[in-house]
Amino acid sequence: MGDPGLRRLALGTLLAAYPGPVPPDWAVDLVAEGLAGHTLFGTNVHDPAQLAASTAALRTARPDVLVAIDEEGGDVTRLAHATGSPYPGNAALGVVDDTALTRRIYAAIGGELAAVGVTVDLAPTVDVNTADENPVIGTRSFGADPGRVAAHTAAAVAGLQSVGVAACAKHFPGHGATVADSHHELPTVDADTALLRARDLPPFAAAVDAGVQAVMTAHIRVPALTGDGPATFSRAVLVDLLRGELGFTGTVITDALEMKGAAVAAGGVGPAAVRALAAGADLLCVGARVDAALVERVVAEIVGAIGDGRLDRARVEQAAGRVAALAAWTRAACPPRPLPAGADRTPGSGPPGIGYRAARRAVRVEGELPRGERPLVVQVYAAATIAEGRVPWGLGPHLSRVEQVRVVAAKADPAALRRLAAGRPIVLVGRHLHRLPGGPALVGSLAATHALTVLEMGWPGRWRPSGVRAFVTTYGASHANGRAAAEVLGLTD
């Protein structure tokens, strides 16, 4: 490829990924050649022993390789993607509003990550979820109040980094006011800088004050700052605002460049990498669908941009230097260690730990719960976002001597459900029921003639169904949230 020094320099700004539970040779070889590291996804995770072996294999190529993962607890989990997380997510922690608990939860998550060789947690999500219809943040947020979100952000950062795992506050300058998903399109936050400073920036300022090692960019358009492009490509956001105004000195990591909010705006992953580096990003998360050929194309684009003047070599050297500093921090702070005592391991494999107790504290009940006869549980199908992935949720694993059926809201027959229930009350379980096609109509029809409890395991916002006996909210759909709801409803042994 020409200058091998330039190739190694470009590789030092990239966070790749690989398929399957065992790192293929190319993934390990690229680390030896200078690749900053890899992001792990659910497809890379089978069990703790396997994952620890995988990360050890990466470290044989270079001891300071960055191993990152999206382990937020709650609805976004990679370690427990097969069962659901044994920890509640941010929305539940925000409702409990105990910052000491938030710190303990994140320290427990960080302890599990450290034990398997993960060095960077792409968490916490610190967006202020002010849009009830937000399709991608929702329960990943600590709430809609900037002050509360800021306080829990600081606690989460402190918890993760207390056990030697670098935290990454995301998604700068704030994805909470969007009503579109940047995995699929470029959302717009139509706010002036005064509103951003009052509403969206306080949690990021709190993260910086807490010493957060990394901040992740958002593929969102903020016309007042970014014009027509995403924040990931904006020096006004990444340099003037994040570094100049907030004083951040750590590593700026991009959200996945394969996401349409970035790739479409730039004309591909390679051009997106060049634009992000030029704007001030340091570590470029390529995405989940990565192979050696894609990495080489991105490297070639960066090297070519240095050659033709689109990128200043000094800027790329600065980015690679910040990535190296992050790697040095993780190597010093996060030596491999055994799983910490008391950490939640496989959900359901032992006595409920801190995550289950926290989830129980987050459950809220409005109205009167059914008592006595076991109800019919009706779980309503809800599609997962790309960020969440396909992770089991609901009451199913926790039910004892209770009949459950699954329906699609728009296709469900309320009369048939009433006949199936006979004289039993119905518990209708859903995520974002008010947003599902046919969801509100199904609730209304059942509530009109039947004793109905609605269990909302998504972001409830201001929606409250009329005519129901009880409305129960868990503020998340993790394994811990499901167990907590089943206990509150009296449906476990």
Side-chain angles (χ1 to χ4, degrees), residues 71-76 85 87-98 101-103 105-106 109 121-129 137-144 148-149 152-157 160 168-171 203 358 362 459 474-478 481:
E71 192 62 37
E72 302 177 14
D75 296 351
V76 177
S85 177
Y87 301 99
N90 287 355
L93 294 173
V95 167
V96 175
D97 199 19
D98 179 345
L101 174 64
T102 296
R103 177 173 175 142
I105 291 287
Y106 271 88
I109 292 172
D121 191 5
L122 301 175
T125 294
V126 308
D127 305 297
V128 181
N129 198 74
I137 303 300
T139 57
R140 301 168 67 194
S141 167
F142 288 114
R148 179 175 295 192
V149 176
H152 287 273
T153 293
V157 168
L160 281 172
C168 178
K170 61 188 185 184
H171 308 79
W459 181 269
T474 57
Y475 294 90
S478 74
N481 294 128

Side-chain angles (χ1 to χ4, degrees), residues 3 14 16 75 113 127-128 138 184 221 260 325 337 350 376 386 391 487:
D3 185 346
L14 299 183
D75 296 351
L113 295 177
D127 305 297
V128 181
H184 304 294
R221 175 177 172 264
K260 291 185 178 178
R337 65 194 74 177
L376 172 68
I386 291 176
V391 178
E487 289 174 351

Side-chain angles (χ1 to χ4, degrees), residues 64-88:
D64 66 348
V65 60
L66 293 174
V67 182
I69 200 166
D70 292 279
E71 192 62 37
E72 302 177 14
D75 296 351
V76 177
T77 179
R78 308 297 183 237
L79 293 185
H81 69 95
T83 51
S85 177
Y87 301 99

